[in-house]
mmCIF file of all heavy atoms in Angstrom:
data_model
loop_
_atom_site.group_PDB
_atom_site.id
_atom_site.type_symbol
_atom_site.label_atom_id
_atom_site.label_comp_id
_atom_site.label_asym_id
_atom_site.label_seq_id
_atom_site.Cartn_x
_atom_site.Cartn_y
_atom_site.Cartn_z
ATOM 1 N N VAL A 118 13.650 7.070 -33.430
ATOM 2 C CA VAL A 118 13.361 7.120 -34.859
ATOM 3 C C VAL A 118 12.433 5.963 -35.186
ATOM 4 O O VAL A 118 12.713 4.817 -34.843
ATOM 5 C CB VAL A 118 14.653 7.015 -35.706
ATOM 6 C CG1 VAL A 118 14.320 7.063 -37.195
ATOM 7 C CG2 VAL A 118 15.645 8.112 -35.334
ATOM 8 N N SER A 119 11.333 6.298 -35.841
ATOM 9 C CA SER A 119 10.375 5.288 -36.292
ATOM 10 C C SER A 119 10.282 5.339 -37.811
ATOM 11 O O SER A 119 10.309 6.415 -38.411
ATOM 12 C CB SER A 119 8.993 5.537 -35.687
ATOM 13 O OG SER A 119 9.010 5.310 -34.302
ATOM 14 N N VAL A 120 10.178 4.157 -38.410
ATOM 15 C CA VAL A 120 10.107 4.033 -39.869
ATOM 16 C C VAL A 120 8.730 3.505 -40.243
ATOM 17 O O VAL A 120 8.206 2.593 -39.600
ATOM 18 C CB VAL A 120 11.221 3.093 -40.381
ATOM 19 C CG1 VAL A 120 11.030 2.749 -41.850
ATOM 20 C CG2 VAL A 120 12.585 3.728 -40.163
ATOM 21 N N LEU A 121 8.166 4.092 -41.304
ATOM 22 C CA LEU A 121 6.884 3.647 -41.836
ATOM 23 C C LEU A 121 7.127 2.409 -42.692
ATOM 24 O O LEU A 121 7.984 2.411 -43.584
ATOM 25 C CB LEU A 121 6.247 4.758 -42.673
ATOM 26 C CG LEU A 121 4.822 4.527 -43.149
ATOM 27 C CD1 LEU A 121 3.855 4.398 -41.957
ATOM 28 C CD2 LEU A 121 4.382 5.667 -44.062
ATOM 29 N N LEU A 122 6.378 1.349 -42.408
ATOM 30 C CA LEU A 122 6.598 0.049 -43.036
ATOM 31 C C LEU A 122 5.339 -0.399 -43.767
ATOM 32 O O LEU A 122 4.238 -0.324 -43.217
ATOM 33 C CB LEU A 122 6.945 -0.957 -41.943
ATOM 34 C CG LEU A 122 7.657 -2.225 -42.320
ATOM 35 C CD1 LEU A 122 9.090 -1.925 -42.732
ATOM 36 C CD2 LEU A 122 7.660 -3.176 -41.138
ATOM 37 N N ASP A 123 5.506 -0.870 -44.992
ATOM 38 C CA ASP A 123 4.409 -1.481 -45.733
ATOM 39 C C ASP A 123 4.117 -2.839 -45.087
ATOM 40 O O ASP A 123 5.023 -3.665 -44.953
ATOM 41 C CB ASP A 123 4.812 -1.651 -47.198
ATOM 42 C CG ASP A 123 3.714 -2.244 -48.045
ATOM 43 O OD1 ASP A 123 3.410 -3.455 -47.863
ATOM 44 O OD2 ASP A 123 3.168 -1.523 -48.895
ATOM 45 N N GLU A 124 2.868 -3.071 -44.683
ATOM 46 C CA GLU A 124 2.536 -4.309 -43.974
ATOM 47 C C GLU A 124 2.668 -5.554 -44.849
ATOM 48 O O GLU A 124 2.925 -6.636 -44.332
ATOM 49 C CB GLU A 124 1.121 -4.226 -43.386
ATOM 50 C CG GLU A 124 1.036 -3.292 -42.204
ATOM 51 C CD GLU A 124 -0.351 -3.241 -41.600
ATOM 52 O OE1 GLU A 124 -1.357 -3.230 -42.353
ATOM 53 O OE2 GLU A 124 -0.423 -3.215 -40.362
ATOM 54 N N THR A 125 2.502 -5.419 -46.146
ATOM 55 C CA THR A 125 2.593 -6.574 -47.044
ATOM 56 C C THR A 125 4.040 -6.918 -47.378
ATOM 57 O O THR A 125 4.462 -8.061 -47.220
ATOM 58 C CB THR A 125 1.802 -6.307 -48.352
ATOM 59 O OG1 THR A 125 0.449 -6.010 -48.007
ATOM 60 C CG2 THR A 125 1.845 -7.514 -49.279
ATOM 61 N N THR A 126 4.807 -5.928 -47.824
ATOM 62 C CA THR A 126 6.190 -6.181 -48.248
ATOM 63 C C THR A 126 7.168 -6.178 -47.077
ATOM 64 O O THR A 126 8.280 -6.683 -47.211
ATOM 65 C CB THR A 126 6.654 -5.118 -49.257
ATOM 66 O OG1 THR A 126 6.727 -3.845 -48.599
ATOM 67 C CG2 THR A 126 5.732 -5.062 -50.462
ATOM 68 N N ARG A 127 6.767 -5.591 -45.954
ATOM 69 C CA ARG A 127 7.628 -5.424 -44.775
ATOM 70 C C ARG A 127 8.855 -4.574 -45.099
ATOM 71 O O ARG A 127 9.891 -4.689 -44.484
ATOM 72 C CB ARG A 127 8.053 -6.770 -44.174
ATOM 73 C CG ARG A 127 6.920 -7.696 -43.819
ATOM 74 C CD ARG A 127 5.910 -7.105 -42.880
ATOM 75 N NE ARG A 127 6.421 -6.892 -41.530
ATOM 76 C CZ ARG A 127 5.748 -6.259 -40.581
ATOM 77 N NH1 ARG A 127 4.543 -5.800 -40.815
ATOM 78 N NH2 ARG A 127 6.277 -6.098 -39.397
ATOM 79 N N LYS A 128 8.718 -3.662 -46.060
ATOM 80 C CA LYS A 128 9.781 -2.754 -46.469
ATOM 81 C C LYS A 128 9.390 -1.324 -46.092
ATOM 82 O O LYS A 128 8.203 -0.983 -46.074
ATOM 83 C CB LYS A 128 9.995 -2.809 -47.989
ATOM 84 C CG LYS A 128 10.324 -4.180 -48.505
ATOM 85 C CD LYS A 128 11.783 -4.430 -48.464
ATOM 86 C CE LYS A 128 12.092 -5.747 -49.170
ATOM 87 N NZ LYS A 128 13.214 -6.419 -48.667
ATOM 88 N N PRO A 129 10.397 -0.467 -45.826
ATOM 89 C CA PRO A 129 10.099 0.946 -45.569
ATOM 90 C C PRO A 129 9.360 1.556 -46.749
ATOM 91 O O PRO A 129 9.617 1.218 -47.910
ATOM 92 C CB PRO A 129 11.474 1.582 -45.395
ATOM 93 C CG PRO A 129 12.354 0.450 -44.967
ATOM 94 C CD PRO A 129 11.828 -0.761 -45.702
ATOM 95 N N THR A 130 8.426 2.448 -46.429
ATOM 96 C CA THR A 130 7.637 3.109 -47.460
ATOM 97 C C THR A 130 7.660 4.616 -47.202
ATOM 98 O O THR A 130 7.678 5.048 -46.040
ATOM 99 C CB THR A 130 6.195 2.536 -47.494
ATOM 100 O OG1 THR A 130 5.513 3.043 -48.627
ATOM 101 C CG2 THR A 130 5.421 2.858 -46.249
ATOM 102 N N PRO A 131 7.678 5.430 -48.255
ATOM 103 C CA PRO A 131 7.779 6.876 -48.066
ATOM 104 C C PRO A 131 6.586 7.463 -47.306
ATOM 105 O O PRO A 131 5.449 7.009 -47.445
ATOM 106 C CB PRO A 131 7.826 7.421 -49.498
ATOM 107 C CG PRO A 131 8.331 6.284 -50.327
ATOM 108 C CD PRO A 131 7.765 5.047 -49.666
ATOM 109 N N LEU A 132 6.889 8.487 -46.523
ATOM 110 C CA LEU A 132 5.833 9.243 -45.848
ATOM 111 C C LEU A 132 5.001 9.947 -46.914
ATOM 112 O O LEU A 132 5.554 10.523 -47.850
ATOM 113 C CB LEU A 132 6.437 10.279 -44.904
ATOM 114 C CG LEU A 132 7.383 9.768 -43.822
ATOM 115 C CD1 LEU A 132 7.932 10.938 -43.009
ATOM 116 C CD2 LEU A 132 6.704 8.764 -42.920
ATOM 117 N N THR A 133 3.692 9.904 -46.762
ATOM 118 C CA THR A 133 2.808 10.559 -47.719
ATOM 119 C C THR A 133 2.601 12.015 -47.319
ATOM 120 O O THR A 133 2.791 12.382 -46.149
ATOM 121 C CB THR A 133 1.436 9.864 -47.763
ATOM 122 O OG1 THR A 133 0.805 10.040 -46.484
ATOM 123 C CG2 THR A 133 1.570 8.373 -48.095
ATOM 124 N N PRO A 134 2.194 12.866 -48.261
ATOM 125 C CA PRO A 134 1.877 14.255 -47.894
ATOM 126 C C PRO A 134 0.817 14.332 -46.789
ATOM 127 O O PRO A 134 0.884 15.197 -45.920
ATOM 128 C CB PRO A 134 1.364 14.862 -49.205
ATOM 129 C CG PRO A 134 2.036 14.050 -50.278
ATOM 130 C CD PRO A 134 2.109 12.645 -49.716
ATOM 131 N N GLU A 135 -0.141 13.396 -46.804
ATOM 132 C CA GLU A 135 -1.185 13.382 -45.774
ATOM 133 C C GLU A 135 -0.602 13.076 -44.390
ATOM 134 O O GLU A 135 -0.937 13.733 -43.403
ATOM 135 C CB GLU A 135 -2.255 12.351 -46.129
ATOM 136 C CG GLU A 135 -3.354 12.245 -45.080
ATOM 137 C CD GLU A 135 -4.340 11.123 -45.366
ATOM 138 O OE1 GLU A 135 -4.031 10.216 -46.153
ATOM 139 O OE2 GLU A 135 -5.425 11.174 -44.760
ATOM 140 N N ILE A 136 0.278 12.087 -44.313
ATOM 141 C CA ILE A 136 0.901 11.752 -43.033
ATOM 142 C C ILE A 136 1.732 12.932 -42.534
ATOM 143 O O ILE A 136 1.657 13.305 -41.358
ATOM 144 C CB ILE A 136 1.757 10.474 -43.150
ATOM 145 C CG1 ILE A 136 0.861 9.248 -43.354
ATOM 146 C CG2 ILE A 136 2.624 10.287 -41.907
ATOM 147 C CD1 ILE A 136 1.616 7.969 -43.677
ATOM 148 N N LEU A 137 2.522 13.536 -43.436
ATOM 149 C CA LEU A 137 3.323 14.701 -43.045
ATOM 150 C C LEU A 137 2.437 15.838 -42.528
ATOM 151 O O LEU A 137 2.763 16.468 -41.526
ATOM 152 C CB LEU A 137 4.174 15.177 -44.228
ATOM 153 C CG LEU A 137 5.337 14.265 -44.599
ATOM 154 C CD1 LEU A 137 5.917 14.662 -45.956
ATOM 155 C CD2 LEU A 137 6.403 14.283 -43.521
ATOM 156 N N ALA A 138 1.329 16.077 -43.206
ATOM 157 C CA ALA A 138 0.409 17.131 -42.764
ATOM 158 C C ALA A 138 -0.179 16.800 -41.392
ATOM 159 O O ALA A 138 -0.316 17.681 -40.531
ATOM 160 C CB ALA A 138 -0.707 17.311 -43.792
ATOM 161 N N ASN A 139 -0.496 15.539 -41.162
ATOM 162 C CA ASN A 139 -1.091 15.139 -39.886
ATOM 163 C C ASN A 139 -0.095 15.197 -38.729
ATOM 164 O O ASN A 139 -0.498 15.282 -37.572
ATOM 165 C CB ASN A 139 -1.700 13.744 -40.002
ATOM 166 C CG ASN A 139 -2.938 13.736 -40.869
ATOM 167 O OD1 ASN A 139 -3.594 14.760 -41.062
ATOM 168 N ND2 ASN A 139 -3.259 12.588 -41.437
ATOM 169 N N PHE A 140 1.193 15.144 -39.016
ATOM 170 C CA PHE A 140 2.213 15.260 -37.977
ATOM 171 C C PHE A 140 2.464 16.706 -37.546
ATOM 172 O O PHE A 140 3.080 16.942 -36.508
ATOM 173 C CB PHE A 140 3.540 14.653 -38.441
ATOM 174 C CG PHE A 140 3.753 13.229 -38.032
ATOM 175 C CD1 PHE A 140 3.942 12.244 -38.988
ATOM 176 C CD2 PHE A 140 3.798 12.862 -36.688
ATOM 177 C CE1 PHE A 140 4.154 10.919 -38.619
ATOM 178 C CE2 PHE A 140 3.998 11.547 -36.313
ATOM 179 C CZ PHE A 140 4.188 10.582 -37.277
ATOM 180 N N GLN A 141 2.041 17.670 -38.336
ATOM 181 C CA GLN A 141 2.407 19.065 -38.069
ATOM 182 C C GLN A 141 2.012 19.537 -36.669
ATOM 183 O O GLN A 141 2.744 20.291 -36.037
ATOM 184 C CB GLN A 141 1.809 19.991 -39.130
ATOM 185 C CG GLN A 141 2.360 19.751 -40.532
ATOM 186 C CD GLN A 141 3.870 19.789 -40.599
ATOM 187 O OE1 GLN A 141 4.502 20.772 -40.241
ATOM 188 N NE2 GLN A 141 4.476 18.685 -41.055
ATOM 189 N N ARG A 142 0.910 19.095 -36.158
ATOM 190 C CA ARG A 142 0.474 19.538 -34.823
ATOM 191 C C ARG A 142 1.330 18.962 -33.707
ATOM 192 O O ARG A 142 1.238 19.383 -32.557
ATOM 193 C CB ARG A 142 -0.997 19.207 -34.612
ATOM 194 C CG ARG A 142 -1.277 17.723 -34.490
ATOM 195 C CD ARG A 142 -2.741 17.410 -34.488
ATOM 196 N NE ARG A 142 -3.301 17.540 -33.168
ATOM 197 C CZ ARG A 142 -4.448 17.023 -32.789
ATOM 198 N NH1 ARG A 142 -5.197 16.376 -33.667
ATOM 199 N NH2 ARG A 142 -4.884 17.171 -31.573
ATOM 200 N N TRP A 143 2.178 17.970 -34.027
ATOM 201 C CA TRP A 143 2.993 17.296 -33.015
ATOM 202 C C TRP A 143 4.470 17.708 -33.071
ATOM 203 O O TRP A 143 5.318 17.065 -32.460
ATOM 204 C CB TRP A 143 2.862 15.771 -33.153
ATOM 205 C CG TRP A 143 1.443 15.333 -33.167
ATOM 206 C CD1 TRP A 143 0.776 14.714 -34.181
ATOM 207 C CD2 TRP A 143 0.471 15.502 -32.116
ATOM 208 N NE1 TRP A 143 -0.537 14.493 -33.821
ATOM 209 C CE2 TRP A 143 -0.749 14.972 -32.563
ATOM 210 C CE3 TRP A 143 0.522 16.071 -30.837
ATOM 211 C CZ2 TRP A 143 -1.901 14.974 -31.798
ATOM 212 C CZ3 TRP A 143 -0.627 16.080 -30.067
ATOM 213 C CH2 TRP A 143 -1.820 15.532 -30.542
ATOM 214 N N ILE A 144 4.781 18.781 -33.796
ATOM 215 C CA ILE A 144 6.173 19.243 -33.877
ATOM 216 C C ILE A 144 6.570 19.899 -32.552
ATOM 217 O O ILE A 144 5.836 20.717 -31.997
ATOM 218 C CB ILE A 144 6.354 20.214 -35.059
ATOM 219 C CG1 ILE A 144 6.175 19.440 -36.366
ATOM 220 C CG2 ILE A 144 7.722 20.895 -35.001
ATOM 221 C CD1 ILE A 144 6.203 20.291 -37.604
#
Side-chain angles (χ1 to χ4, degrees):
V118 180
S119 292
V120 170
L121 188 62
L122 200 70
D123 182 290
E124 288 182 319
T125 303
T126 66
R127 305 304 291 173
K128 302 272 188 210
T130 189
L132 303 178
T133 65
E135 178 186 18
I136 291 172
L137 289 167
N139 290 338
F140 265 121
Q141 295 307 302
R142 69 189 275 198
W143 308 117
I144 292 175

